[in-house]
Amino acid sequence: MALPPPFFFLLIATLPSLFPFISAFSPLGPCSAPPDHGSTLHILPTFSPCSPPSPFHDTTLLSLSNRDVSRFLYLSAAAAPSRRRSFVPIASGRNLLQSSTYVARAFLGTPPQPLLVSLDISSDVAWLPCSSCSGCLPSSVFFSPNRSSSFLPLTCNSPPCSFLPIPSCPAKTCTFNFTYGSSSISTTLAQDTLSLASDSISSYTFACIASTSGGSLPPQGLLGLGRGPLSFISQTKNLYFSTFSYCLPGFLSPNFAGTLRLGLSGQPQRIHTTPLLSNPHRPSLYYVNLKSIRVGRKRLSIPPSALAFNSSTGAGTIFDSGTMFTRLVSPAYTALRDEFRLRVNSTVSSLGGFDTCYNGPVVFPTITFEFDGMNMTLSEENTIIHSSRGTLSCLAMASAPDNVNSVLNVIASMQQQNHRVLFDLPNRRVGVSREPCTS
Ligand SMILES: *[C@@H]1O[C@H](CO)[C@@H](O)[C@H](O)[C@H]1NC(C)=O
Ligand SMILES: *[C@@H]1O[C@H](CO)[C@@H](O)[C@H](O)[C@H]1NC(C)=O
Ligand SMILES: *[C@@H]1O[C@H](CO)[C@@H](O)[C@H](O)[C@H]1NC(C)=O
Ligand SMILES: *[C@@H]1O[C@H](CO)[C@@H](O)[C@H](O)[C@H]1NC(C)=O
Ligand SMILES: *[C@@H]1O[C@H](CO)[C@@H](O)[C@H](O)[C@H]1NC(C)=O
């Protein structure tokens, strides 16, 4: 196998989190990027079909925070050891339940067919709407197995089939079903050549969606960047050595460019890192040890049990690319919010799921996550979300939803924006450093 070129970029765009926008998204559409050359792909359009939005409208904010609740419930369920069905979320009824907020462009098949895929570091198996799909949205970006000479459906005794949580074999083909929001999805496991940037991965295993009912399936596919055996990271181990980093662009930045950098070359060398922890019950998730939180210089008094990693309960802290706003377990969030309010010392209001909002100009304290061996200090851009309603600004974090007895802290995408986040699996570490994302 040829050595990988110095590094590969995939450009990441913020995915419009509301359905109508996504359907405007097509790899060949009017807002599409020019052809990609070398190892850099051009950026994908985002929120509105072609241009950046002004501050979030309240309705957008509310639906973003609702979508986030569903995602959080899915992750919380995935972290609990008693639920071994990692594809079955406990919540339903919301759109885009497991969907990631960021998309990249990929190509599948021979000759290559362009696709859009959500990037999800908490999932493993890639899945895509296939052209024969019954029940998929007509606006989906379909993959046509018939038009690919390298497409291969997998049989039940193929090794990848044994990695599925609940495979079923009505005929000889390996199939599996899962639910996604209110949809039931039936897929066949298959292999084909996946191309990203200037690299080609032959015999890439993915799930081809054969049918769906219920209507909450997003129109694009998903690429799982988790740690399990069927993830992109595991399948490309010999090429990228289970090492990648990303820079997630700001939701409100006029420049939506972000990059996913795959492999060893070009990764930051001088970066503070924290050990990566493994939960054998939930092998996909990137757990780290969050030791404490500071607001300004004040280290919060949080019961250690609220932050401690425990693989048998699923408790601890993960990084996730598909949750937009950081969620902390109740005692941790309450301590953070109370200190934050004390520092701001102004009249507090709420907006939807955000309970610490202010009208008018106020000075916000910085928030620092203290991980084992690494501090991550958030700038205002990572802390505050601005609403278009007057001058309302909210602390862009929340506690676990009321009815959920969650033990999981999720460091979400808004808090990671404009940082380089490195996932170095061979050395079992996660690194974070501030970096304005540019293409
Ligand atoms: C693909 O080919 C098979 C066999 O020729 C055919 O039954 C099927 O309808 C085709 N599917 C599509 C989406 O064209
Ligand atoms: C999967 O879904 C398909 C289509 O709805 C159905 O025919 C099949 O019985 C399901 N398989 C299992 C194991 O539930
Ligand atoms: C993990 O949680 C279980 C169940 O609550 C508890 O029995 C165990 O002591 C915890 N382990 C650690 C290392 O705290
Ligand atoms: C909070 O604001 C009030 C009124 O503006 C002021 O009297 C008080 O000293 C402030 N408290 C702190 C801790 O700054
Ligand atoms: C994190 O910040 C604290 C407080 O400033 C400091 O004591 C500690 O050394 C820092 N840790 C690292 C790894 O930089």
Side-chain angles (χ1 to χ4, degrees):
M1 182 180 56
L3 279 178
F7 43 78
F8 299 93
F9 288 111
L10 262 189
L11 288 148
I12 307 173
T14 52
L15 179 71
S17 294
L18 301 171
F19 241 66
F21 291 133
I22 300 176
S23 42
F25 226 141
S26 151
L28 304 171
C31 306
S32 66
D36 300 309
H37 297 289
S39 55
T40 302
L41 295 178
H42 289 88
I43 66 163
L44 295 169
T46 117
F47 265 92
S48 67
C50 300
S51 60
S54 51
F56 290 113
H57 288 283
D58 290 355
T59 46
T60 312
L61 255 185
L62 293 177
S63 57
L64 287 175
S65 92
N66 280 338
R67 185 197 75 95
D68 239 30
V69 169
S70 306
R71 168 83 184 181
F72 180 78
L73 294 174
Y74 159 70
L75 286 174
S76 298
S82 56
R83 293 180 177 266
R84 305 212 107 236
R85 300 151 72 207
S86 56
F87 294 95
V88 186
I90 56 170
S92 68
R94 299 302 311 183
N95 292 339
L96 293 173
L97 186 56
Q98 289 156 257
S99 175
S100 169
T101 330
Y102 294 90
V103 293
R105 189 161 56 173
F107 296 86
L108 191 67
T110 314
Q113 299 174 32
L115 299 167
L116 285 175
V117 285
S118 294
L119 299 175
D120 188 342
I121 67 166
S122 300
S123 296
D124 289 338
V125 191
W127 44 265
L128 309 160
C130 279
S131 55
S132 53
C133 172
S134 84
C136 283
L137 285 176
S139 59
S140 301
V141 182
F142 290 101
F143 171 67
S144 297
N146 281 8
R147 283 171 37 218
S148 172
S149 60
S150 45
F151 179 80
L152 180 73
L154 291 176
T155 58
C156 285
N157 51 19
S158 65
C161 194
S162 67
F163 291 129
L164 288 175
I166 341 163
S168 72
C169 294
K172 275 194 175 146
T173 318
C174 177
T175 69
F176 79 113
N177 294 0
F178 59 99
T179 62
Y180 176 99
S182 55
S183 294
S184 305
I185 297 161
S186 171
T187 71
T188 342
L189 207 62
Q191 290 183 333
D192 208 334
T193 303
L194 177 70
S195 307
L196 293 174
S198 52
D199 223 14
S200 225
I201 299 130
S202 58
S203 303
Y204 190 78
T205 301
F206 65 98
C208 190
I209 301 176
S211 68
T212 172
S213 59
S216 61
L217 187 69
Q220 84 284 356
L222 178 142
L223 191 68
L225 300 175
R227 300 158 82 183
L230 287 177
S231 83
F232 176 80
I233 302 308
S234 302
Q235 291 194 53
T236 59
K237 202 159 46 187
N238 294 333
L239 185 60
Y240 301 129
F241 306 100
S242 307
T243 305
F244 69 101
S245 70
Y246 56 58
C247 190
L248 304 178
F251 294 110
L252 295 179
S253 152
N255 176 3
F256 282 81
T259 53
L260 171 66
R261 200 178 282 169
L262 300 162
L264 301 178
S265 305
Q267 300 298 2
Q269 299 304 306
R270 295 175 188 280
I271 187 169
H272 287 289
T273 63
T274 187
L276 189 53
L277 309 176
S278 298
N279 180 346
H281 298 297
R282 287 297 156 232
S284 312
L285 302 180
Y286 292 97
Y287 276 95
V288 292
N289 183 7
L290 176 61
K291 291 167 66 179
S292 55
I293 302 173
R294 271 187 288 138
V295 174
R297 291 211 185 123
K298 170 95 182 277
R299 186 171 288 120
L300 303 175
S301 144
I302 298 171
S305 62
L307 301 178
F309 174 67
N310 184 328
S311 63
S312 57
T313 59
T317 302
I318 63 166
F319 273 81
D320 182 41
S321 60
T323 307
M324 195 165 167
F325 306 109
T326 288
R327 296 257 168 196
L328 300 172
V329 300
S330 196
Y333 179 72
T334 305
L336 182 146
R337 180 199 63 192
D338 290 351
E339 184 62 26
F340 194 89
R341 288 179 176 177
L342 201 67
R343 295 290 169 124
V344 176
N345 190 20
S346 185
T347 310
V348 176
S349 61
S350 68
L351 175 66
F354 303 105
D355 68 2
T356 300
C357 302
Y358 299 95
N359 244 310
V362 291
V363 178
F364 296 107
T366 60
I367 293 175
T368 303
F369 293 129
E370 298 188 327
F371 298 101
D372 187 4
M374 172 180 93
N375 291 333
M376 180 180 185
T377 297
L378 305 178
S379 66
E380 192 170 313
E381 167 199 40
N382 302 117
T383 313
I384 303 299
I385 190 152
H386 300 279
S387 157
S388 60
R389 174 147 61 93
T391 51
L392 197 70
S393 307
C394 302
L395 172 62
M397 297 186 199
S399 63
D402 283 343
N403 50 349
V404 181
N405 186 19
S406 177
V407 291
L408 193 65
N409 299 296
V410 178
I411 308 297
S413 60
M414 177 154 182
Q415 280 65 45
Q416 297 175 55
Q417 278 172 26
N418 286 311
H419 286 84
R420 172 75 40 195
V421 184
L422 169 72
F423 297 88
D424 176 355
L425 276 64
N427 297 303
R428 297 176 174 279
R429 56 189 192 144
V430 175
V432 176
S433 67
R434 186 171 296 286
E435 176 184 314
C437 303
T438 54
S439 56

